Amino acid sequence: MPDTPPIEFAFPDLRKWEKGAAPYIHVLESGKPGPTVMVASLTHGNEVSGAIVVDALLGAQVKPRKGTLILSFNNIEAYHSFDPRTPFKSRLVDEDFNRVWGRLDQPATTVETRRAQVLKPFVERADLLLDLHSMHDDCVPLMLSGPLDKGVAFAKAIGTPVDIVRDAGHAAGMRMRDYGGFGDPESPKNALLIETGQHWRASSVVVAKDVTARFLVETGVVEESDLPAGWRQPTPATQRVVEVTHAIATKRGNFTAAQRFQGQDVIAKAGTVLGHDDDEPVTTPYDDCVLVMPSSSRPLRPGVTVVRLGRLT
Ligand SMILES: [Zn+2]
């Protein structure tokens, strides 16, 4: 990492939202029948664009017209550990909050598993979930729909961003967006995860507001006029679905990229060298291979995914 990317906005003071149905979790009831809809932020503590959006929804006292709206700041402890000298560290405290959802039946021994136990009844209650994330590197926004048809259909109903990534998550552990009914093709529950862009870009806040407004209106719990003005952005002409087929992990943390990739680059020819891992070439397995969230600059640990490869469908 040559240097830390600029931080283009002020971080909100969230302590005023501590008191809720549980700490930093707010449940807004309409009193009328309807879906339970959840917007979650700070699943990773340094992914601040989502926190700005949830802070703004609470500040504007947005109320659901039907059903229930749940708003959360997930890894608030990691957020409060933010230090501008080491801004990437506040992603988590003990472990990744978004990899613990397959083992919540085990004793909670970390900040993140304890917090997940607090969030669990709210996540279980939600029929529809939007989880707001952002990215380490400057990449175009991506909607992570999960592996199921219903996730892709929901992402298309939202209508933005251009890229929908259909993926099965991470070998390291289950994500919140795949938990319970969200990961069950037979369940009507549905979840989306938006990667809004680089963590501290002003443009990531624009994307987070746009996607959240579209999500809330699509679920029917609010109308657009209930939301702060100016959140909706123009709808892109088309969207495309990228199906993730491979996750390339570095064996010992010695991966070097052949060039700097932007993310969502389409590599025309099969066999193109993407980089070397311990001097072993890593090549594209098929023509028109999409590079999903390549890590151009993060320090690598053994076993970490350096890029995921996808096929346009
Ligand atoms: Zn994240």
Side-chain angles (χ1 to χ4, degrees), residues 41-53:
S41 66
L42 296 180
T43 289
H44 294 126
N46 60 359
E47 301 183 356
V48 185
S49 65
I52 289 176
V53 165

Side-chain angles (χ1 to χ4, degrees), residues 211-242:
V211 170
T212 301
R214 289 165 181 268
F215 169 80
L216 289 174
V217 171
E218 177 67 25
T219 66
V221 293
V222 302
E223 292 176 9
E224 197 167 332
S225 58
D226 300 331
L227 298 170
W231 280 23
R232 263 298 274 270
Q233 300 298 314
T235 303
T238 54
Q239 289 179 291
R240 59 180 192 175
V241 179
V242 179

Side-chain angles (χ1 to χ4, degrees), residues 43-44 46-47 91 98 132-135 193 195 199:
T43 289
H44 294 126
N46 60 359
E47 301 183 356
R91 175 179 171 85
N98 215 24
L132 297 163
H133 288 249
S134 55
M135 298 184 255
L193 187 164
E195 300 279 4
H199 299 323

